């Protein structure tokens, strides 16, 4: 499976009936996202462990593991617990059950195509914003790491060289004197920089 392009997200469609999957694909096609099919709860869980999804559309009435049980399993896995689930149901009774296991929204059949696209778009926007925030947080982390105080950089170097010398001395046999001398000299230089910056 090819990785999703940066401006595209994956949507998981879960239904045991082929005609329902075809209908969902037809309605969501104009959104130009990657649509992934699953015809059972078990298949849905496997798909979610293989790749990241922005949102899941989950039919309730399925043989074996039904939609409510599938939603509950999705919410109990660390890797998938934050993925929003839209429950697709034919009865109002399933709405409460869906919310009780962590579903984010619901659609009652038959539904208007514009309503489905609107609901899915809300979660796509949220997914993109979360991805953007994660990228910004990583960039900030790198900037903070690069912006260590002058005293922190030599201190890290000293610790690294002392650790290397300690490993050389603890090793079996005679330590490599040239390597020990190199680490000792590098540590002394770092101490000198530390004193100069103090």
């Amino acid at each position: 499976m090819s990785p999703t392009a940066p401006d595209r997200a994956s949507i998981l469609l879960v239904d045991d009936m082929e005609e329902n999957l075809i209908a969902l694909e037809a309605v969501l096609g104009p959104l130009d996202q990657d649509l992934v099919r699953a015809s059972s709860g078990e298949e849905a869980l496997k798909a979610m462990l293989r790749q990241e999804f922005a949102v899941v559309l989950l039919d309730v009435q399925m043989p074996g593991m039904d939609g409510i049980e599938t939603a509950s399993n999705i919410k109990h896995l660390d890797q998938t617990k934050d993925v929003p689930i839209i429950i697709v149901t034919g009865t109002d009774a399933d709405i409460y059950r869906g919310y009780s296991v962590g579903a984010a929204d619901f659609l009652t059949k038959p539904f208007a195509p514009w309503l489905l696209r609107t609901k899915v778009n809300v979660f796509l926007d949220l997914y993109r914003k979360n991805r953007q925030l994660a990228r910004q947080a990583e960039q900030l982390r790198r900037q903070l790491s690069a912006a260590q105080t002058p005293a922190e950089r030599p201190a890290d170097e000293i610790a690294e060289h002392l650790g290397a010398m300690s490993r050389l001395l603890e090793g079996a046999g005679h330590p490599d004197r040239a390597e020990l001398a190199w680490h000792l000299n590098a540590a002394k230089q770092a101490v000198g920089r530390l004193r100069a910056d103090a």
Side-chain angles (χ1 to χ4, degrees):
M1 188 173 297
S2 62
T4 301
D7 57 335
R8 289 168 68 94
S10 294
I11 301 169
L12 182 60
L13 314 175
V14 189
D15 200 305
D16 62 311
M17 298 181 72
E18 176 78 8
E19 59 269 29
N20 290 344
L21 291 170
I22 291 170
L24 287 172
E25 287 173 336
V27 171
L28 296 174
L31 298 180
D32 194 31
Q33 303 301 310
D34 294 324
L35 305 177
V36 178
R37 288 179 172 202
S39 58
S40 68
E42 294 84 356
E43 202 177 308
L45 289 170
K46 287 178 187 172
M48 293 196 73
L49 293 174
R50 281 194 304 267
Q51 75 180 90
E52 187 177 286
F53 290 97
V55 62
V56 178
L57 273 86
L58 182 58
D59 184 52
V60 172
Q61 299 301 320
M62 294 188 294
M65 186 190 303
D66 71 8
I68 302 300
E69 188 181 351
T70 302
S72 178
N73 285 325
I74 289 169
K75 291 300 177 183
H76 281 94
L77 293 172
D78 282 343
Q79 186 176 334
T80 60
K81 66 181 180 183
D82 296 324
V83 180
I85 299 168
I86 299 176
I87 293 286
V88 182
T89 178
T91 64
D92 289 345
D94 292 327
I95 295 170
Y96 171 75
R97 291 175 60 223
Y99 281 138
S100 72
V101 296
D105 206 343
F106 71 93
L107 272 170
T108 306
K109 298 176 187 176
F111 51 81
W114 67 266
L115 181 59
L116 172 59
R117 282 192 295 267
T118 300
K119 286 178 180 273
V120 168
N121 255 328
V122 167
F123 292 110
L124 288 173
D125 287 343
L126 184 62
Y127 174 78
R128 289 185 194 107
K129 285 175 181 159
N130 284 339
R131 293 283 297 266
Q132 183 180 3
L133 283 173
R135 283 193 300 270
Q136 289 172 343
E138 176 59 23
Q139 185 179 9
L140 182 60
R141 188 197 62 74
R142 284 196 306 270
Q143 287 171 347
L144 288 172
S145 177
Q148 283 181 309
T149 65
E152 289 171 324
R153 281 191 293 275
D156 287 345
E157 283 182 52
I158 293 165
E160 185 180 321
H161 291 298
L162 288 176
M165 287 188 287
S166 176
R167 287 189 294 278
L168 283 169
L169 291 169
E170 289 170 1
H174 299 289
D176 183 334
R177 294 178 64 86
E179 193 174 352
L180 265 175
W182 183 86
H183 282 294
L184 181 59
N185 186 48
K188 284 180 181 176
Q189 289 175 1
V191 168
R193 287 196 307 279
L194 188 61
R195 284 183 176 152
D197 292 335

